[in-house]
């Protein structure tokens, strides 16, 4: 069955046809975090949905090239740095680190690239794009020295959000004193420097200033993925004005269709309201871990509902996630036990390995219907458990189910982590190395590091002392 995805642009479920069906990778751009504070788990619902999309495409044999930007300059980051009395870069750095930590905890696959908006390469690209838009009459510099996009000159403006231009009103991301604009819906491409910006400024043909939020994504997408991409994702709150503006800017510059499929996930809610920083009703990943839950449990809780259905976050939901994972764990343990029995090769039933229907993949082909896919998983668990209870499952069948699990787990990534046991000799070498470091005997310390490495382990020196991890590639 072909993969079908709901395209916000057409408001229809469409068959997925990549731009370039030959070997080239699927190009995906995902709007990343604005690093003015730690991302909340609502943000991570969006990132987990994008992770599911990427993993399912890969399961279906596509190669994916995904870019996720880091918004490290806009109104909130500047205000945050000012209030904290530190430079912008120092202020945003801590939240970038936290973002990667949380994404790792939630087992989100890393994107291929994480461009940051303040990188001079991309600032240059933004300036270049704005110049083209001005030359085409699609943008203008107003009396306040800022440059705005002229939405009346872009006939498709509003197509993504299915919006009537005459209804446009000022939005939260637009400064209230922008009285110099021709139209209330014109959005800033370049914001002229003012005192509140402090040392956050770049030179441009329009004077010192900084980019608007929307042009950042257009420029980084174009710089890393080219003029046209396959899929662009975000939460539904990104549809307008952010993604609408991205279309206007990118297509305004190139004259080509920017994105083939626009995918947006519904919000994570708390008591029926969007989880949001501004409402103060949010939890971060560490908040959830502090309550005794694991990253795996939170991943499951955020993943289990179809991405276009709003999901209410509750602690009861977290407990359900825990129970569901326990069922998977027990099932896997039973299957493994069966394959390890001494008479494991002797078939007990009809001697045939089960033919497992492709219902899991088929459900995901249906606009990433994860609830149906998980429904099939739990139905299979129920049936195979019953077969095992009645002694009707043989080892080859158990093995076939384990192979099936291995395959679907490349999408789910929900397996319990095997307990890591550090061999005593490695611990001893690590202790010796700590002593050597305390005595500032760096040669000895390096030598011990090498010996630890040779045994398949790596030492990392952190603020809390040295930590041992399995060396990648070692078994
Ligand atoms: P921001 O850091 O505000 O730019 O948001 C980063 C991503 O999280 C965007 O794709 C948003 O659409 C998404 N997002 C924000 N709040 C929520 C929420 N409560 N539920 C799901 N996604 C969200
Ligand atoms: Zn964006």
């Amino acid at each position: 069955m072909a993969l079908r995805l709901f395209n916000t642009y057409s408001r229809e479920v469409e068959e997925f046809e990549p731009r370039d069906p030959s070997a080239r990778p699927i190009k995906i751009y995902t709007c990343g975090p604005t690093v003015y504070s730690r991302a909340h788990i609502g943000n991570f619902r969006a990132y987990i949905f994008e992770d599911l999309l990427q993993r399912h495409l890969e399961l279906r044999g596509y190669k994916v090239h995904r870019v996720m930007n880091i918004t490290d300059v806009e109104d909130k980051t500047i205000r945050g740095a000012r209030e904290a009395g530190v430079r912008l870069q120092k202020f945003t750095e801590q939240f970038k680190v936290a973002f990667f930590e949380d994404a790792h905890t939630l087992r989100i696959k890393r994107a291929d690239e994480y461009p940051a908006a303040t990188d001079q390469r991309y600032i240059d690209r933004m300036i270049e794009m704005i110049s083209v838009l001005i030359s085409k009459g699609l943008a203008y510099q107003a009396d306040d020295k800022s440059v705005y996009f002229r939405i009346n000159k872009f006939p498709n403006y509003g197509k993504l959000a299915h919006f009537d231009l005459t209804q446009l009103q000022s939005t939260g991301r637009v400064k209230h004193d922008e009285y110099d604009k021709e139209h209330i819906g014109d959005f800033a491409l370049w914001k002229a420097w003012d005192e509140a910006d402090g040392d956050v400024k770049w030179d441009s043909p329009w004077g010192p200033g900084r980019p608007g939020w929307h042009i950042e994504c257009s420029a980084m997408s174009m710089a890393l993925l080219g003029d046209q991409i396959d899929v662009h994702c975000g939460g539904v709150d990104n549809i307008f004005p952010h993604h609408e503006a991205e279309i206007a800017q990118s297509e305004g510059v190139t004259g080509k269709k920017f994105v083939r499929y626009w995918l947006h996930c519904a919000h994570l809610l708390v008591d029926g309201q969007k989880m949001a920083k501004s409402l103060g009703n949010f939890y971060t990943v560490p908040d959830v871990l502090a309550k005794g839950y694991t990253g795996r449990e939170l991943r499951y809780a955020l993943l289990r509902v179809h991405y276009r259905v709003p999901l209410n976050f509750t602690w009861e939901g977290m407990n359900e996630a825990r129970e569901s994972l326990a069922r998977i764990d027990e099932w896997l343990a039973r299957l493994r036990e069966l394959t390890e029995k001494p008479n494991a090769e002797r078939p007990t039933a009809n001697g045939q390995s089960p033919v497992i229907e492709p219902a899991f993949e088929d459900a995901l082909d249906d606009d990433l219907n994860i609830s149906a896919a998980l429904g099939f998983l739990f139905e299979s668990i129920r049936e195979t458990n019953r077969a095992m209870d009645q002694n009707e499952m043989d080892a080859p069948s158990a093995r076939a189910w384990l192979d099936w699990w291995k395959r679907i787990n490349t999408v789910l990534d929900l397996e319990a982590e095997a307990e890591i046991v550090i061999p005593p000799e490695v611990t001893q070498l690590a202790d010796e190395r700590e002593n050597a470091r305390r005595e500032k005997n760096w040669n000895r310390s390096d030598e011990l590091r090498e010996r630890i490495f040779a045994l398949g382990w790596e030492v990392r020196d952190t603020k809390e002392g040295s930590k041992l991890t399995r060396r990648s590639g070692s078994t």
Side-chain angles (χ1 to χ4, degrees):
M1 219 187 295
L3 170 60
R4 283 147 290 131
L5 297 169
F6 182 86
N7 190 345
T8 307
Y9 200 86
S10 64
R11 294 282 197 273
E12 273 174 24
V13 175
E14 296 176 14
E15 198 160 303
F16 180 67
E17 285 169 14
R19 255 186 72 251
D20 184 353
S22 62
R24 289 224 226 122
I26 308 283
K27 294 178 179 183
I28 304 183
Y29 187 91
T30 45
C31 286
T34 305
V35 280
Y36 71 104
S37 66
R38 195 165 195 131
H40 57 67
I41 58 173
N43 301 129
F44 280 103
R45 182 187 190 197
Y47 307 141
I48 282 183
F49 133 70
E50 291 153 0
D51 183 59
L52 174 65
L53 171 69
Q54 168 160 9
R55 287 168 181 266
H56 181 55
L57 285 167
E58 287 171 348
L59 181 78
R60 283 302 194 203
Y62 292 107
K63 198 171 160 4
V64 173
H65 187 99
R66 186 162 70 86
V67 171
M68 175 175 271
N69 70 292
I70 306 282
T71 300
D72 58 356
V73 56
E74 49 72 82
D75 296 346
K76 284 182 283 188
T77 49
I78 293 175
R79 195 185 322 127
R82 194 177 59 234
E83 283 168 9
V86 293
R87 300 198 62 176
L88 182 69
Q89 205 215 342
K90 186 165 180 350
F91 178 71
T92 56
E93 185 57 32
Q94 58 191 314
F95 302 118
K96 285 186 200 177
V97 171
F99 165 73
F100 287 112
E101 221 174 84
D102 293 347
H104 178 74
T105 302
L106 294 176
R107 306 181 177 190
I108 294 172
K109 245 186 134 157
R110 282 183 66 85
D112 296 275
E113 277 151 308
Y114 289 100
T118 51
D119 188 325
Q120 189 63 46
R121 252 180 308 174
Y122 305 123
I123 297 274
D124 291 345
R125 192 66 181 238
M126 295 170 212
I127 291 174
E128 207 181 297
M129 286 183 77
I130 298 168
S131 305
V132 175
L133 291 171
I134 292 178
S135 72
K136 288 187 169 184
L138 285 164
Y140 59 94
Q141 184 169 29
D143 291 343
D144 66 354
K145 297 272 185 285
S146 290
V147 180
Y148 297 96
F149 190 93
R150 185 177 272 133
I151 61 168
N152 280 335
K153 278 276 158 68
F154 189 77
N156 279 345
Y157 196 76
K159 278 265 170 72
L160 176 71
H162 295 228
F163 221 80
D164 176 357
L165 277 188
T166 57
Q167 308 250 310
L168 277 184
Q169 291 188 351
S170 184
T171 70
R173 296 255 186 184
V174 176
K175 273 163 88 181
H176 295 297
D177 55 355
E178 286 172 346
Y179 46 80
D180 297 313
K181 297 190 292 185
E182 291 174 5
H183 186 291
I184 181 121
D186 288 354
F187 56 87
L189 296 164
W190 188 259
K191 297 189 174 191
W193 180 85
D194 69 27
E195 261 169 50
D197 294 338
D199 64 354
V200 180
K201 58 176 190 282
W202 289 267
D203 287 333
S204 82
W206 318 286
R210 61 190 166 96
W213 174 41
H214 314 311
I215 194 76
E216 296 178 4
C217 282
S218 278
M220 290 187 272
S221 177
M222 204 178 284
L224 293 167
L225 296 172
D227 293 352
Q228 297 182 287
I229 66 171
D230 294 291
V231 186
H232 194 124
C233 305
V236 283
D237 57 308
N238 281 160
I239 299 173
F240 193 88
H242 187 49
H243 290 164
E244 193 74 64
E246 280 190 47
I247 296 176
Q249 297 161 157
S250 300
E251 297 189 1
V253 167
T254 66
K256 297 182 211 158
K257 192 171 175 65
F258 173 37
V259 172
R260 283 174 82 84
Y261 302 90
W262 284 97
L263 267 56
H264 295 98
C265 86
H267 282 144
L268 184 67
L269 311 175
V270 181
D271 299 329
Q273 265 194 313
K274 177 190 173 191
M275 182 177 285
K277 286 276 156 59
S278 54
L279 297 172
N281 61 352
F282 64 91
Y283 298 103
T284 62
V285 172
D287 290 339
V288 177
L289 299 187
K291 294 249 185 197
Y293 295 99
T294 62
R296 178 170 85 115
E297 287 163 348
L298 182 54
R299 174 176 176 84
Y300 184 88
L302 295 176
L303 180 75
R304 74 194 163 92
V305 169
H306 188 268
Y307 76 95
R308 283 196 291 122
V309 177
L311 167 61
N312 209 28
F313 179 78
T314 59
W315 296 111
E316 206 180 298
M318 286 301 301
N319 292 337
E320 282 166 19
R322 176 168 287 178
E323 282 164 25
S324 302
L325 290 171
R327 278 178 66 200
I328 297 175
D329 294 348
E330 282 161 25
W331 176 65
L332 292 173
R334 274 189 93 176
L335 289 171
R336 285 188 186 124
E337 202 182 323
L338 222 162
T339 61
E340 285 156 13
K341 275 195 177 154
N343 58 352
E345 293 314 318
R346 191 171 53 84
T348 49
N350 58 9
Q352 309 256 307
S353 287
V355 178
I356 304 172
E357 305 167 55
F360 183 90
E361 296 92 319
D362 285 354
L364 292 181
D365 274 352
D366 179 16
D367 193 29
L368 303 178
N369 192 344
I370 187 72
S371 9
L374 290 171
F376 178 72
L377 167 66
F378 285 106
E379 195 186 296
S380 305
I381 290 180
R382 221 171 6 255
E383 279 176 19
T384 45
N385 275 339
R386 198 181 312 126
M388 286 192 273
D389 290 343
Q390 294 170 358
N391 231 354
E392 281 173 4
M393 168 90 76
D394 56 24
S397 306
R399 205 163 288 129
W401 280 105
L402 285 171
D403 287 346
W404 176 76
W405 164 258
K406 200 167 163 193
R407 177 171 155 78
I408 67 164
N409 194 48
T410 60
V411 175
L412 297 174
D413 205 347
L414 286 173
E415 195 158 324
E417 251 162 32
E419 211 183 318
I420 298 170
V421 183
I422 306 172
E425 62 203 294
V426 174
T427 314
Q428 197 190 328
L429 290 174
D431 288 345
E432 281 177 37
R433 186 174 166 274
E434 276 290 282
N435 286 338
R437 280 169 57 80
R438 230 169 278 132
E439 290 159 12
K440 301 204 181 329
N441 187 346
W442 308 121
N443 284 344
R444 171 97 181 119
S445 155
D446 285 348
E447 182 205 318
L448 286 161
R449 177 197 287 279
E450 302 270 296
R451 284 175 60 191
I452 292 168
F453 192 79
L455 292 170
W457 293 80
E458 229 164 332
V459 206
R460 276 187 308 120
D461 297 312
T462 71
K463 269 188 245 150
E464 295 90 42
S466 65
K467 291 227 165 84
L468 284 165
T469 47
R470 283 302 264 159
R471 175 156 61 85
S472 53
S474 66
T475 50

